[in-house]
Amino acid sequence: MINDGKVVSIHYTLKDDEGNILDSSEGKSPLDYLHGASNIISGLEDALLGKAVGEKVSVRIAPEDAYGMTDDGKKQVVSREMFGDHAVEVGQQFHAADPEGNSIVVTVTHIDKDEITVDGNHPLAGMHLTFDVEIVNIRDASEDEKSHGHAHGPGGHHH
Ligand code: ZN
């Protein structure tokens, strides 16, 4: 059964409310995560608690339990000059620093002649997300995995 301290392997398909597939492990290795370590969004972790190998779970998760609400404070208009001679397109993503100095990913959402709008919200912020999950394996986490707070090995995190 899925519980804190288990490494869980799942196949998953993630859809938005219009049924568009946003992400899927289909055709890839299953995703390995360490349960109880916030490796995955809280709404999905809650839905998987207590499940067994072979079970299928379908769950629709509100933004508060997924990637949070959209925060307009994370949208910024910056001068085109900041990008120098680089070509910029809507949808491009850049690594940037937020005011606290944390590394964030910003997405270009609008381009004017002299100004570019970038959005530091997670691309899935503000969205209801539906996950269709199949549990393919459950094992005890190693001491290393517990101390690192993530799964190791195929499908997990590598060092
Ligand atoms: Zn590690």
Side-chain angles (χ1 to χ4, degrees), residues 148 150 152 157 159:
H148 289 189
H150 53 232
H152 290 166
H157 172 91
H159 285 262

